Every structure is written in structure tokens, then in C-alpha cells.
Amino acid sequence: MNFEELYQNDSAANGDIPWDIGRPQPVLVDIVEAGEVRGDVLDIGCGLGDNSIFLAARGYRVTGVDVAPSALAKARERAGELDIDFRVGDATELAGLENRFDTVIDSALYHCLTEEDRHRYLDALYRAARPGAVLHVFCFSEALPASIPGPFRISERNLRETVGRRWTITRLRPAFYDTSPPQEAFARVVDAALPDARSRADALAKVPTDGHGGTRKPIWQLAATRG
């Protein structure tokens, strides 16, 4: 997917960027409320910045990294006077950010990467994190119906073998991720991807709403620590 092209066109204005919900992810709010975020925070794949903005407003020192300059320009506008270090970067390298962070937040980036890139990515995160740092990953699970358009579905085994190669997993449980398209926008995506009316109806029926006019997708919520 060309993320820069996506952010440059009118997708955001049309409500067609699924991860742009205009507020922090509820799963992130939950871990903050539970005291599971601390110190300097890396929001990797920060996109339009809503998670970074929420964290900065709570007093955390936040660095938001994304590959798309247009997304970061919009994130800076949304952040206003908040002091957030938004920077363009390759998540599989993170050059110049070594040994910087106590908490890393991956809010729906992991499932966009190929298996080869996931290993490079996790190595980069390991270098960027301080000893004892915590990694939180929210990624689509295999429970996401096959009829729903989207990126890779991630298995529990994949997370245990790939993340667990260098990080110590402390929690891995099912959760939900809120996505932004109102039902009519989500229906347009489904209509474009699926060939017949019965498949489209089945897909729409399997995705619950989030109480804000959007939809909820099944994910894995992973927490891990760096040695």
C-alpha cells in the first residue's frame, strides 16, 4: 500500500482511512489507564497522530514515526501546541533512535508488514528500546473474517515465534480495534472487494459497530518486554 498517496488524496476527508477514528484507540486508552505505559514513548506508524496526541496530553514524552510525510503534516496540525516529535522514518530501520524508549506502541502496523520485514522491524524496535522497555502491539487476528478486505491476518503462533524471538511476551489476548468508516463508507469498500450481494451482506453482518458509527475488528493485544 502506498501510504503517502493515500494521505495525499481525499480519503481522509471521505472517511475512507480505516485507522483514522479521530480519537485514540480504546485499547491504548485501556493500557494507559492500567499504568502500562511509562517513560519516553515511541508511537511507531503513528499516522495522523491521535494516539500520540492522547499520550502527550497525558504528560508522556512522545516520538511519532511514520513513513508518510503527508500524514505527519496533518498530525502536527492536529497536535496544535502539544510538544510531540513527529518524524519521517522507516520502521524497519529507525536510524538515530537507538536506546531511546521505555514504551513502544504499535497500533496496527505489524499486520501491514511481510514476514521478512517483521523480523527487521522487531530488530529495529529492539535497538530503539531501552533495557526493560515494554512493547504493545495491536494487530489483526485470524478471527477477522476472510470476506473482509484488509492486510495480513496474524496468528498467535506467528506472534509467539516472531516477536518472541527477541522480546519476552507477557500477555497475548484477543481484543478489538475500532476503525473509522461509517457503515456506508465501509459498505463501499466491501462492495468494491466482493463479487456478489450475499458475500457483501455476510461480511457486513460479521463486523460489529463501535458505538461511534464505525466498525470493530478482532485483534491480538500483545505486551512484551525487552531484556
Side-chain angles (χ1 to χ4, degrees):
M1 178 183 293
N2 187 327
F3 289 100
E4 174 63 10
E5 182 178 318
L6 181 69
Y7 287 115
Q8 284 183 350
N9 66 27
D10 292 330
S11 294
N14 294 335
D16 290 339
I17 296 180
W19 52 91
D20 179 21
I21 63 173
R23 53 191 166 84
Q25 275 294 326
V27 283
L28 173 64
V29 175
D30 288 345
I31 65 172
V32 170
E33 297 292 346
E36 298 181 20
V37 174
R38 58 183 176 80
D40 292 341
V41 181
L42 171 62
D43 181 11
I44 186 68
C46 65
L48 294 164
D50 291 315
N51 287 339
S52 292
I53 291 165
F54 169 74
L55 291 163
R58 289 295 187 98
Y60 296 101
R61 188 158 50 200
V62 181
T63 299
V65 175
D66 201 276
V67 72
S70 293
L72 296 177
K74 294 180 173 69
R76 293 185 186 100
E77 291 178 5
R78 292 187 181 189
E81 298 300 316
L82 285 172
D83 184 13
I84 302 172
D85 181 10
F86 286 119
R87 58 173 69 192
V88 176
D90 183 340
T92 65
E93 296 181 3
L94 297 180
L97 292 176
E98 294 80 7
N99 196 36
R100 285 274 305 272
F101 302 103
D102 304 294
T103 304
V104 177
I105 305 294
D106 173 338
S107 183
L109 174 58
Y110 183 90
H111 62 222
C112 295
L113 303 174
T114 65
E115 184 62 17
E116 179 181 358
D117 281 345
R118 288 174 204 147
H119 286 275
R120 295 175 57 221
Y121 169 60
L122 289 163
D123 287 344
L125 293 184
Y126 192 90
R127 294 191 299 269
R130 295 175 177 137
V134 178
L135 168 66
H136 294 282
V137 176
F138 314 137
C139 64
F140 287 153
S141 75
E142 291 175 311
L144 184 65
S147 56
I148 302 298
F152 296 106
R153 275 69 165 169
I154 305 299
S155 68
E156 178 180 357
R157 178 177 178 178
N158 176 274
L159 289 169
R160 293 197 181 279
E161 292 181 352
T162 304
V163 179
R165 181 174 60 92
R166 298 201 69 177
W167 297 77
T168 300
I169 296 173
T170 57
R171 183 178 65 232
L172 182 55
R173 66 188 181 194
F176 284 97
Y177 194 87
D178 287 8
T179 53
S180 70
Q183 284 297 331
E184 60 270 18
F186 181 63
R188 290 200 301 272
V189 175
V190 173
D191 285 348
L194 299 178
D196 63 87
R198 178 173 294 182
S199 296
R200 292 193 293 270
D202 180 63
L204 292 170
K206 289 180 178 178
V207 178
T209 59
D210 64 3
H212 295 269
T215 54
R216 310 191 78 204
K217 307 292 198 308
I219 61 168
W220 290 113
Q221 181 184 359
L222 176 146
T225 57
R226 183 197 188 283

